[in-house]
Structures are given as structure tokens and as C-alpha cells.
Amino acid sequence: MAEGKRFPGKPKWDREKGTWAVLAAVTVFSFISRFYRLAEPPHVCWDETHFGKMGSYYINRTFFFDVHPPLGKMLIGFAGHLTGYNGSFSFLKPGQQYESHYYLGMRGFCAFLGSWLPPFVFLIVHQLSKSLAGALLASLLVLLDTGCITLSQYILLDPILIFFIIGAVLSMVRFHSCSSRPFSVPWWLWLGLTGVSLAGAIGVKFVGLFVVLFVGLNTVRDLWKLLGDLSLTLEVILRHLAARVLCLILLPLVLYSLIFAVHFAILNKSGPGDGFFSSAFQSRLIGNNLHNASMPEHLAYGSVITLKSVRTASGYLHSHWHLYPEGVGAKQQQVTTYSHKDQNNLWTVKKHDSEYDIEAPLEFVHHGDIIRLEHTMTGRNLHSHQREAPLTKKHLQVTAYGTNGTGDSNDFWRIEVAGGKSRVKVLRSQIRLLHLSTGCVLCSTGKTLPKWGWEQGEVTCSPYIRESPNTMWNVEDHWNPRLPNISVSILKPSFFEILAESHIVMLRANSGLKPKEHEVTSKPWHWPINFQVVWWLNLGCLVLYVLVALCAAVSIQRGLPMSDNVKENFSLLLESGGQMLFGWLLHYCPFFFMGRVLYYHHYFPAMLFSSMLTAVTLSALLRLCAEALCPSRHQAVFVAGITVLVLTLLYSFYLFHPLAYGMVGPLADDSDSPMAGLRWMDSWDF
């Protein structure tokens, strides 16, 4: 319903003044709720052990690895640096006391961004529904949610992620509000801010892709409408298309790449993340043994090398004097992967049918050559045979066999260079070793051997010969006195190569995340029925909206008689509510198809869309009911209904606020606990 019809006695400037007053109040109370008792508890909580530590790595410029893009951690580190934190706290485990270390700057930064969520939600709903009451209700649903408060008060990525997600939605709806003034300054400003927010969202976590999809599909719909406007020339439509490509595709891509450029520039020292990346990547890190190293560029017969698995954090091909135990394949010398530098990682490259002759002409190793790899320390050859691998069924056992390089035909391997390139280049070439007699491929499975294998990684010969990181290796260290050395700096990968590698490593590690022992995890179907009464209201309104929207759509389509006010309410409900339902589906449903471990905090972006949908649905329904039941006093009835909802939310917050600000006394399952009466379901754990 239009503002003029809703407040016929008030001039426009007066109505706007009231809206801004409500928004200011929401903003003030949002900041108070997020900064209240921010210093408590004065110890590490939950995932602060991860993201606080990563902030410290940025301050110390130490390279690390995480499954998420770097923007969130980089901002946390920057906030800590600006507020006096020197990066010296260890963040070892939850419960560790901060003592004299200044942690409030990092918590305060997260609380600052989290404080903007209620006012952003207010502006989005007010723009979409043209309802001050609906906007207020939506902002209170977020402002009074104990989960949102909790996420905003600790050193976490979630408040940063959600800030950019909701910022992108707000910028998008404000951009659409300028559609009557295309190519004006506000039009360009909001379109550009939408692109910046999209880059920020995906730069914090990959789930930011969901809001990219949300904005992208809205943009396609917008362009489709423009195409149907016959008053616009083709030139104007192409200008609209170019503006959106520039601001919503090119700008986010440039900013996203810039985030990684800054990330790589800051983290230039060797650290705990080295082993997740290729040898070529590691050569750019100060303090890494490959930094400014020199070695022969191409592999030749007689070279002594180390082979590193391309698989994430898998380690080096390794052997030692210990044998496989009785009952585990053949009782021959163990071959494993080992993540540390060691003399037992060294292998000598030899021809399959002759010994290496130092007097013979030097020969390089080429793609397709058949070779032997002799373990330098023990003199035994890399070997496989028709015996089952220790842990991975259907794979064959890999051992070291023979004496002083003398073995049998099961020691022969064909070397294959990815891309079919002729020579093997150190650091850069990815190679496979195909076992000649069985046809299987040397493989690092990623599984950990028992104590008899010194808890090192399992190496097998895989019958699945398709290329995968498990079966790809690269030459890292290379010694050959007959070849000239080059500086490995000339083999350093380009920015776009390390950008691509970073994403491959992150995506592999993210998809493989598994829960730790005793860790509280969840399934997506748990989330809408979680701890809060507010979330139950959202769940009910999801169902209610679908029913009401269906009735509204059928009524409008069939042309049923209705007043202009009812028809306008139905149209706003379908348009604004449909947007929020679509956003909820995009941010919720994909988690059902993810194989990785999931937690409750993954639902919060979807929960914000659900809260906005709840506000749109309830405000529209209250207005329709008030007008139908009591036409003469519909405004008073509507205000009374909104007041009841607001008081219910306030009372819910009053009951459950200790969940956000800290509980006192015994645990909730104790009858003497002040929370005992609030544990309404046995599944609730607080």
C-alpha cells in the first residue's frame, strides 16, 4: 500500500522524518546490543582459536592455509594491527585467557559490522514493501536474535560475510529504486556498491556465491524487462547491459583478484601453510628451503631427487628400513609419504635396463621413458606387485625391493608428463608413474598408516588411471653434478598461476572437511527449527507465505473482485515476499547437496532472508485482516497487531538473552539453574 494512502494526513517530508527516526533508533540499539559486554568472556571462544590466530599470521606476515578466501581474516588482522594488537598471542585452544593481549579491537571490528545488519534489513524491507511497520518488524527480528548477537561479538568470519551479503542485497534494491533515472550518479553509485559487496562476500567465504547468483538472476530479469520496453532503443539497452557487465562482473572480478594479490604480498614468509601448496609456490616464500635455491632445471638419468605429491598436504615419496608387518601384503620395505624433509625422501633416477654410467653421455628423462627409482639410502627399488595395499582396497601394495639397485621387472615405471611435454622440469612439471607390469599408477591416498607405519601416509598403486591429484607428483629437490644449476626464482609461478592453485587447494580441502571428535555438527533440516522462538516464527511464516501468496496469485490471475488497497497489498506481497523467499532458497537449499561437515552458523545468511520474509508476510496479513474485519478502524487494529508482535519479540529476547551475554549459576540441566525453565526441548543444549 502506498505511503500516501496509509498516512493521508501527513505530508511526505513528515513521513520520511518519522522513517529516519525509527531507522536511527534501530541503529543505536543495534550497536548497543552488539557492543554490550564485548570484553566478556576474556578468553578464547569457539572458532576464535582459528580466525584470531590467522589475524596474527597476517600481522607477522607468516604464510598459512585456510579453506576460505582471505578477505575476512585479512580484515581481522588489519583491525587488530590498528588497535594495538601485535600478533603475539597463540590462540591455542578455547578457554585460553587473553590476559594482557589486546583482543577487543578484533572483536570490536566484527561487532561493528554485525551492528549494521538490523538497519540494512530495515532499509531493504522498507524499500521492497513500502511498509514502515514491516521494516521495523524485520529489523527487530534480527536485532533481538541471540544467535546474530553471538556471532557478532566474537572474532569470526560470519559477521563479515553477512555484512557483505546483506550489503549486496541493499545496494541492489536501492539500485532498482533508481530505475527511473538510469545512468544518473545515484544509479551508478548503487550499481557499483552492489559489485563491491559481491566481491566482499565471495572474498570472505565461497558461500558468497549464493548472493552472486541472487543478484545475477535479478539482473537477468531486470534486463529482460528492459528488452520488452519498446520505448528504449537497442543502443540504450546495450548501454544497460554494458553497465551491468562492468559493475557486476568485471568490477567484482578485479576486486576479488586484488584481494588475493594483497594476501600473497603480505604473507611472504614461510609458515604452517607451505605443505598444502606445490613446490613452485613454496619457492616464493622467504625462509622456505626452496626460496632463492638453485638446482638443475631438467631431470636426467643419475639425478637424485625428491618427489612431492600434488595431493593437498600429502608429503614426499619416502621409504625406510622398516618392513611391512606379517599379514600386510609382502613383507618388504615400506614406502610411504612423509611431510617433512628427510634423507629417506631421496631417490636416484636410473634406466630400467642398465646401471647408470657416469662416463656415458648425459641423457635427459623424457615423457614416456621407462625408469627405475632406487631409494638412495637403502639401495632398493620402487616396486609394486599383485598384493593388496595396506588400507585401500582394490589398490596394490607399493614396496621397496631388491639389493643395491638389483630387483626384477616389477621395478619398472613409465614416466608420464602432464600435457605430454617432452622433458621433466623441476618444480613445474606434474608427472605420473605408471607401473609397467600391472598398469596401475603410483598413488598417495591420503590415509594414515597405523603405528607400524609410523603414522605416515599410505602409498599404493591405483588401478584407476585417470589423472587426479592423488596420482600426480612433481620433482622438488634435484641434484646432478653433471648439470648446470639455475635459480629456481625463474621457475616461480605467475600471479594467475598461484591464484588458480590457491582455489584448487581451497576447494579440495573445503569439500573434504570432516567433523572432529566430540564436535557438535548439524544437518540442514535442523536449522530452521533451532534454539530461538524467533526462528519458530520464521518457520511458520515460510509455510504461511506460500499459502497466502498462492491465494493472492490465483485471485489476481482470475480477476476476482477486490479493492485497490487489497490488490496493491497482494502485489507487494508477491513481489517483495517472492524476492525474500528466493533469497532464502538460494542460501539454504545448496547445503543439502554438500558433502562437507556443516554447522548451525551456516544457516544465518538464509535466516536473515527468512526474517525479512516473516516481516513482509505478517505486516501484509495484518493490514489485510484489519481492513477486512474492521474497515473503519483498520489502522488502529493494524498498529495493535504490530505492537503485540513487537512485545512478543522483546519478551522472547528478555527470556533468552543470557544465551548471548553469558549465563550465571549452574548449567541449564540443573533444577537450580535460572535457565532450567527455558529448556523447553530435550534437544536444546545450553
Side-chain angles (χ1 to χ4, degrees), residues 358-663:
I358 197 170
E359 301 296 332
L362 183 71
E363 291 185 64
F364 289 102
V365 178
H366 294 84
H367 171 75
D369 283 3
I370 300 172
I371 66 169
R372 281 183 298 131
L373 285 176
E374 181 184 317
H375 189 241
T376 307
M377 297 300 291
T378 63
R380 290 172 174 162
N381 297 327
L382 187 69
H383 177 98
S384 188
H385 46 220
Q386 294 289 349
R387 303 292 291 269
E388 193 174 70
L391 303 179
T392 305
K393 306 303 180 186
K394 297 185 179 180
H395 284 214
L396 301 181
Q397 183 187 32
V398 174
T399 69
Y401 175 77
T403 304
N404 295 327
T406 301
D408 59 28
S409 60
N410 282 330
D411 304 339
F412 301 161
W413 302 81
R414 177 181 288 115
I415 191 165
E416 297 181 346
V417 183
K421 295 180 181 178
S422 180
R423 292 184 181 181
V424 180
K425 183 180 288 189
V426 297
L427 304 186
R428 302 304 299 271
S429 293
Q430 294 189 1
I431 64 174
R432 297 199 310 163
L433 292 171
L434 182 70
H435 191 243
L436 207 59
S437 62
T438 63
C440 58
V441 185
L442 188 70
C443 175
S444 167
T445 65
K447 298 179 181 178
T448 301
L449 294 170
K451 289 186 177 179
W452 57 255
W454 305 95
E455 297 181 343
Q456 295 174 7
E458 181 191 35
V459 172
T460 67
C461 203
S462 170
Y464 308 106
I465 60 173
R466 60 181 175 82
E467 288 189 6
S468 75
N470 292 31
T471 59
M472 304 300 292
W473 305 78
N474 70 268
V475 177
E476 180 166 297
D477 299 294
H478 182 205
W479 294 271
N480 193 320
R482 300 179 65 187
L483 289 171
N485 288 344
I486 63 164
S487 172
V488 298
S489 61
I490 68 172
L491 302 176
K492 287 180 182 177
S494 67
F495 168 72
F496 290 105
E497 286 176 318
I498 62 177
L499 182 65
E501 180 179 347
S502 296
H503 282 78
I504 292 170
V505 173
M506 283 190 291
L507 291 170
R508 284 179 193 156
N510 207 323
S511 63
L513 283 177
K514 303 299 179 186
K516 299 173 184 175
E517 191 175 359
H518 306 305
E519 193 171 35
V520 179
T521 62
S522 63
K523 300 293 184 183
W525 67 267
H526 295 163
W527 300 342
I529 55 174
N530 193 20
F531 301 105
Q532 260 286 19
V533 177
V534 169
W535 289 21
W536 288 354
L537 181 64
N538 286 348
L539 180 62
C541 285
L542 280 167
V543 178
L544 185 62
Y545 174 78
V546 172
L547 296 175
V548 174
L550 183 62
C551 293
V554 171
S555 300
I556 293 174
Q557 188 69 15
R558 294 294 297 171
L560 298 181
M562 63 185 76
S563 68
D564 290 341
N565 285 347
V566 171
K567 189 172 184 179
E568 188 175 358
N569 266 296
F570 276 170
S571 297
L572 282 172
L573 182 68
L574 290 171
E575 176 63 25
S576 56
Q579 286 274 43
M580 296 302 100
L581 179 63
F582 182 53
W584 178 77
L585 290 170
L586 279 179
H587 287 81
Y588 177 53
C589 293
F591 287 102
F592 284 94
F593 305 98
M594 293 186 184
R596 56 153 292 167
V597 61
L598 297 171
Y599 306 96
Y600 278 111
H601 67 86
H602 287 119
Y603 183 63
F604 277 88
M607 189 276 290
L608 293 179
F609 284 96
S610 181
S611 295
M612 290 188 280
L613 177 61
T614 295
V616 169
T617 303
L618 292 179
S619 63
L621 277 180
L622 277 172
R623 190 164 296 283
L624 288 168
C625 292
E627 190 163 320
L629 298 176
C630 190
S632 61
R633 304 183 64 185
H634 71 275
Q635 190 65 31
V637 173
F638 174 76
V639 171
I642 291 293
T643 302
V644 169
L645 285 171
V646 169
L647 290 176
T648 302
L649 293 177
L650 289 170
Y651 182 63
S652 169
F653 176 73
Y654 169 74
L655 287 179
F656 290 98
H657 76 275
L659 292 174
Y661 296 121
M663 295 172 285

Side-chain angles (χ1 to χ4, degrees), residues 41-57:
H43 59 71
V44 177
C45 290
W46 192 30
D47 275 357
E48 285 188 328
T49 186
H50 300 302
F51 303 119
K53 183 183 297 181
M54 292 171 188
S56 299
Y57 285 141

